Amino acid sequence: MLQTISVLLENKTGALMRATGLLTARGYNIESLTVAKTLDPTLSRMTIVVDVEPRLRAQVIKQMNKLINVLQASDLSESPSVTRELLLLRVRAAAEEGNNGPRTAILKEAEIFGARVVDSSVEGFALEVTGDTEKLDEFIDVMRSYGDIEVTRSGAVAVSLDPKKLRLSPPVPRGAEPTTVNVES
Amino acid sequence: MLLECLVREGVECIFGYPGGVTLPLYDAMYDNPIRHVLVRHEENACFAAQGYARATGKVGVACATSGPGATNLVTGLVDAMMDSIPLVALTGQVPTKLIGSDAFQEADTFGITRSCTKHNYLVKNIHELPEVIHEAFYIASTGRPGPVLVDVTKDVFQGQVHYTPVTSIHLPGYKVHADGHTGQIRRAAQMMWEAQRPYVYAGGGIIHAGAHQELRELVEILDAPCVNTLMGLGAMPSNHPNFVSMPGMHGSYAANMGMYNADLLIALGVRFDDRVTGRLAAFAPHAKVIHVDIDPAEIGKIRNADLPIVGDVRRVLQKLNPVLRELEPSMAARNSASRRAWWSQIRAWKEEHPLTPATSSTEIKPQHAVAEIDRLTRGEAIVTSDVGQHQMWSAQFIRFNHPRLWINSGGLGSMGFGLPAAIGAQFACPEKTVVSIVGDGGFQMSVPELATIASHGLPIKIIVLNNGYLGMVRQWQELFYNNRLCSVTLDSFPDAEKLAGAYGFKGRTIEHVHELRPALEEAFAENGPYLLNIRVSPTENVYPMVPAGGAINEMVLAQPQPVAVP
């Protein structure tokens, strides 16, 4: 089963590589990866989907949390969360005189999937749709039946519905011991 | 600027090798009080800095130029990572505007060293430099120690900016869990008194945390047997009555049988290394585990902990020992009969198969040589070793009465470590006797450092246990590959007297048993460096041995006798 990992990390050179490097070093292939700035522009939120052996999942999360640039890494596959993906799809459906058949059908199908037309030309349409992975897979199957398609998927973005308290280390005076993270609470 | 930061971090000594892009740094060093030790290969700069760090607990500093200089540090960085050694490596990088242009001596040091450091930096702006350097020392030395690399571009080295003091370090994502959970500590104390066959399994974490006093106190309160791992030797004084010995692949019979039969494993600053556990399913199968470690990722990584405590082992024991004392009157008597039986069992195992060095009247057994070194050092000298048979024999037969005396490459097992590590240790502790016990294989990997030893007149005693083989590899080929010896013969070795003489110090080769004691005494009496090449029995193997993947209670105790073919 795929594991969805959400990582809040510093928006710094190399931070992304450190997080993904932990997976590649263990020989895991990343299925999808999205990353973008958060409300705080010094931080990024990353969603990684990866197939990790079940017994090693907790270890991977612990190792990520050890990275200096990582503020919080959590496993979303084991807690309530919502995952969505964006898909951009071009379908070839040339307008023919007196026969608008496939084009109308495509627009109908798009409406069923809640897709939006982002470009329309005599050759066909570009459509935008969001949803979970299964829905997007289905959408692709349906569109394929109408003609040649071209697809770009964003990869999963996920949000936990069970927000964990974020523990950050406060600044320490130089030369002092680190403030210990409170484990009692 | 950079040197100013180093001075403020209390750096006294850097081990390094200059090059094109670090020229501005070395120019500044000309007027600076920090001592720079010129090694003869960058890899050895890292090993020497480690020797310094391992002997003192202070952060070791290694320095190399861009490209090949930086790539040569990699082995030493991984080595420091595996053994949790505080190290800061400074490397030069080509000027910022040339990065990515395949410039002369350019390498992606930041990328290459990402996975072999606790953290690393690339500094392209001089204003970031002070903060980065202080952060690097902070990260290297706190929490679970480790190596940090700072890659600095040439233009940053050249920049002239006034040092503005850095007053605080802010790393919001750097979490250090130092204080153990009070409730867990209480439960641990309870479990310790409830156990019938408690067993203390203490490792390198004790040494890093400086928790040897606290460990001793715990062991004495509980009157429990204690083993020290390869990284933890010296955590308990070898002459302490509760000290059993080292467990693991080449651990003693008693240490491994104790591990196998314990009902409570008190694991302190250890990581259940495969060389200790053998086949996991058969490792301490009857024991509950209390695991104390500062790194939460170590808990449950290999062996599930029945009671985990994340924390600095010293601080945890400082909280735990008083609780143990408090519970002692009400709980100590409960299992005292079974604990006495446990001790007699351990003593019986010790007597059944004691760790005694092999000797012979016709040839020098390597174990005999090591035992003689032990007789002369009396558990008080710093001993560095390389990797292989001689390392295991040293771990078995040399006593360490204090922490930070035994310096070896444990996790990574890097050959060529022993000699440069001895250099670092001798610079750190000029008043101490430093002995470097190496094999003839590893010695030849670090020969260039004889020049460093000679130019500083470091009185290191280099003892080569020369069996003419890559002994440990030969042992495995012999035992597990049908004795098909392939590429393990080292049939050429320089004349030690001439070699040392070429560098201007004394050296000698011996091969007869009667020479052993006087030769060692001569070496130890020498004021300067000494190279003693001991021709030892070539086919000796290390026993006991738990074959890889074997169970720790199924040790091979001695060389199998050849079976007569009818």
Side-chain angles (χ1 to χ4, degrees):
Chain A
M1 199 188 90
L2 295 176
Q3 183 182 22
T4 307
I5 303 170
S6 178
V7 189
L8 182 65
L9 71 172
E10 291 178 291
N11 184 8
K12 283 186 177 168
T13 314
L16 182 146
M17 284 295 290
R18 286 182 216 279
T20 55
L22 275 179
L23 297 165
T24 53
R26 286 163 175 75
Y28 296 125
N29 182 38
I30 293 171
E31 300 284 333
S32 102
L33 171 72
T34 60
V35 55
K37 271 190 264 191
T38 64
L39 289 177
D40 176 350
T42 65
L43 303 179
S44 302
R45 169 70 68 179
M46 196 157 134
T47 306
I48 311 173
V49 178
V50 61
D51 193 2
V52 174
E53 268 175 78
R55 65 178 186 90
L56 292 174
R57 291 185 166 189
Q59 176 64 207
V60 165
I61 298 288
K62 281 179 176 179
Q63 293 289 354
M64 276 195 191
N65 273 311
K66 268 171 72 175
L67 297 171
I68 315 277
N69 291 145
V70 168
L71 273 58
Q72 189 181 48
S74 36
D75 186 354
L76 296 189
S77 19
E78 277 161 18
S79 57
S81 63
V82 176
T83 305
R84 287 291 178 268
E85 203 180 336
L86 168 74
L87 178 142
L88 293 172
L89 178 143
R90 268 178 40 187
V91 57
R92 256 187 90 80
E96 290 164 30
E97 213 161 320
N99 175 15
N100 219 10
R103 290 178 67 94
T104 317
I106 287 170
L107 292 176
K108 278 244 166 71
E109 290 286 2
E111 205 182 327
I112 293 168
F113 279 91
R116 294 197 314 137
V117 177
V118 287
D119 185 62
S120 171
S121 67
V122 287
E123 275 92 39
F125 299 109
L127 303 167
E128 166 198 315
V129 60
T130 60
D132 57 26
T133 307
E134 293 75 38
K135 176 182 161 185
L136 299 191
D137 288 346
E138 244 171 79
F139 185 67
I140 290 171
D141 280 347
V142 168
M143 285 300 150
R144 196 179 270 140
S145 69
Y146 290 104
D148 289 344
I149 57 168
E150 210 177 293
V151 168
T152 306
R153 299 174 76 142
S154 66
V157 289
V159 66
S160 170
L161 299 178
D162 182 17
K164 270 193 194 165
K165 206 177 150 217
L166 181 63
R167 288 203 184 110
L168 297 181
S169 300
V172 290
R174 198 173 74 69
E177 295 257 316
T179 316
T180 185
V181 176
N182 187 8
V183 291
E184 310 283 336
S185 53
Chain B
M1 173 76 143
L2 193 134
L3 291 172
E4 177 67 34
C5 302
L6 298 182
V7 169
R8 283 168 193 261
E9 285 294 340
V11 174
E12 293 158 350
C13 190
I14 300 176
F15 301 90
Y17 209 105
V21 298
T22 52
L23 276 167
L25 175 68
Y26 279 80
D27 186 56
M29 252 182 235
Y30 193 85
D31 306 312
N32 195 281
I34 294 180
R35 173 171 213 172
H36 181 271
V37 177
L38 176 66
V39 291
R40 299 305 193 264
H41 189 289
E42 290 92 347
E43 177 179 284
N44 297 329
C46 236
F47 288 154
Q50 276 201 50
Y52 183 92
R54 290 177 193 240
T56 57
K58 292 194 244 173
V59 179
V61 183
C63 181
T65 191
S66 62
T71 55
N72 277 341
L73 293 181
V74 168
T75 306
L77 292 172
V78 184
D79 194 285
M81 189 73 175
M82 289 288 263
D83 288 349
S84 310
I85 304 304
L87 192 79
V88 169
L90 301 168
T91 50
Q93 183 53 274
V94 299
T96 306
K97 63 179 191 331
L98 290 181
I99 290 182
S101 72
D102 301 327
F104 177 63
Q105 292 195 327
E106 181 184 357
D108 173 17
T109 306
F110 184 62
I112 290 168
T113 60
R114 190 197 74 239
S115 61
C116 40
T117 50
K118 188 173 170 186
H119 197 60
N120 65 357
Y121 294 92
L122 168 62
V123 184
K124 299 196 287 185
N125 177 345
I126 191 165
H127 298 286
E128 290 170 7
L129 190 64
E131 207 175 277
V132 166
I133 297 290
H134 293 309
E135 278 179 18
F137 276 82
Y138 177 74
I139 292 169
S141 60
T142 55
R144 179 179 182 169
V148 180
L149 179 133
V150 184
D151 195 28
V152 183
T153 57
K154 187 176 187 181
D155 43 297
V156 170
F157 279 133
Q158 282 165 325
Q160 297 288 340
V161 173
H162 248 317
Y163 175 84
T164 4
V166 174
T167 51
S168 80
I169 305 239
H170 191 203
L171 297 164
Y174 181 53
K175 305 154 211 82
V176 176
H177 310 261
D179 293 322
H181 188 283
T182 314
Q184 291 287 83
I185 289 176
R186 257 205 114 67
R187 279 186 280 280
Q190 197 95 17
M191 278 171 80
M192 288 178 192
W193 282 123
E194 276 164 6
Q196 305 196 325
R197 299 184 306 279
Y199 205 65
V200 178
Y201 159 35
I206 297 284
I207 305 211
H208 300 317
H212 47 285
Q213 297 288 2
E214 289 77 6
L215 170 69
R216 189 172 169 166
E217 208 181 314
L218 169 110
V219 167
E220 286 173 359
I221 301 171
L222 286 173
D223 191 21
C226 174
V227 290
N228 286 162
T229 65
L230 181 69
M231 291 309 298
L233 289 174
M236 271 300 270
S238 304
N239 50 14
H240 193 284
N242 290 51
F243 178 67
V244 183
S245 52
M246 179 179 80
M249 181 174 271
H250 295 296
S252 75
Y253 179 73
N256 283 340
M257 290 305 279
M259 201 75 114
Y260 185 81
N261 288 285
D263 72 341
L264 177 69
L265 219 53
I266 304 167
L268 307 171
V270 292
R271 55 184 181 86
F272 294 84
D273 184 85
D274 55 84
R275 287 309 197 246
V276 168
T277 63
R279 180 152 41 87
L280 261 181
F283 175 72
H286 317 292
K288 289 197 165 169
V289 173
I290 296 174
H291 191 181
V292 182
D293 204 287
I294 195 159
D295 181 356
E298 285 303 336
I299 309 271
K301 183 181 85 174
I302 305 290
R303 168 77 181 245
N304 206 40
D306 298 277
L307 190 117
I309 301 177
V310 178
D312 173 86
V313 66
R314 180 157 183 246
R315 290 212 217 167
V316 170
L317 294 186
Q318 279 171 346
K319 278 164 113 179
L320 177 79
N321 288 343
V323 184
L324 280 177
R325 284 228 165 81
E326 180 196 317
L327 296 175
E328 190 172 6
S330 60
M331 300 194 73
R334 197 179 291 188
N335 290 316
S336 61
S338 31
R339 282 167 181 242
R340 268 198 302 278
W342 177 228
W343 259 121
S344 28
Q345 176 65 70
I346 285 170
R347 286 200 190 95
W349 283 324
K350 269 187 160 178
E351 279 158 29
E352 203 179 329
H353 297 289
L355 262 186
T356 32
T359 51
S360 149
S361 54
T362 50
E363 54 183 1
I364 304 177
K365 291 279 185 189
Q367 299 95 321
H368 183 196
V370 170
E372 280 297 317
I373 296 169
D374 174 59
R375 197 181 60 83
L376 289 165
T377 52
R378 302 179 315 277
E380 300 293 331
I382 292 181
V383 177
T384 74
S385 92
D386 238 86
V387 172
Q389 289 184 319
H390 69 279
Q391 176 193 27
M392 290 300 118
W393 284 316
S394 303
Q396 288 177 340
F397 299 117
I398 296 188
R399 293 163 298 170
F400 297 99
N401 294 340
H402 312 284
R404 302 202 177 280
L405 292 178
W406 168 239
I407 295 176
N408 79 130
S409 164
L412 192 64
S414 322
M415 280 176 73
F417 175 89
L419 200 58
I423 295 174
Q426 188 77 79
F427 273 107
C429 309
E431 75 298 340
K432 278 219 167 87
T433 305
V434 177
V435 187
S436 186
I437 304 179
V438 293
D440 44 331
F443 173 76
Q444 290 182 85
M445 284 195 182
S446 44
V447 159
E449 294 313 317
L450 291 177
T452 313
I453 292 173
S455 62
H456 293 275
L458 300 174
I460 296 169
K461 311 306 165 208
I462 308 157
I463 318 283
V464 184
L465 297 183
N466 186 338
N467 58 4
Y469 282 114
L470 295 171
M472 191 58 96
V473 183
R474 193 220 64 227
Q475 175 167 344
W476 283 55
Q477 288 183 346
E478 198 181 305
L479 298 176
F480 309 116
Y481 293 87
N482 240 341
N483 204 23
R484 287 154 55 91
L485 303 190
C486 181
S487 293
V488 287
T489 313
L490 300 170
D491 43 15
S492 162
F493 192 85
D495 178 321
E497 191 178 347
K498 284 189 188 153
L499 178 66
Y503 287 103
F505 59 89
K506 278 193 191 160
R508 180 180 170 190
T509 297
I510 57 165
E511 51 189 323
H512 302 293
V513 183
H514 65 87
E515 297 170 297
L516 180 60
R517 188 172 282 195
L520 280 170
E521 280 167 1
E522 183 190 317
F524 280 82
E526 175 69 24
N527 283 325
Y530 198 102
L531 172 64
L532 180 61
N533 176 32
I534 307 179
R535 292 254 171 219
V536 295
S537 153
T539 53
E540 200 61 26
N541 287 340
V542 186
Y543 293 104
M545 178 177 195
V546 178
I552 52 163
N553 64 329
E554 292 162 1
M555 288 153 275
V556 183
L557 291 162
Q559 185 94 3
Q561 292 304 311
V563 182
V565 182

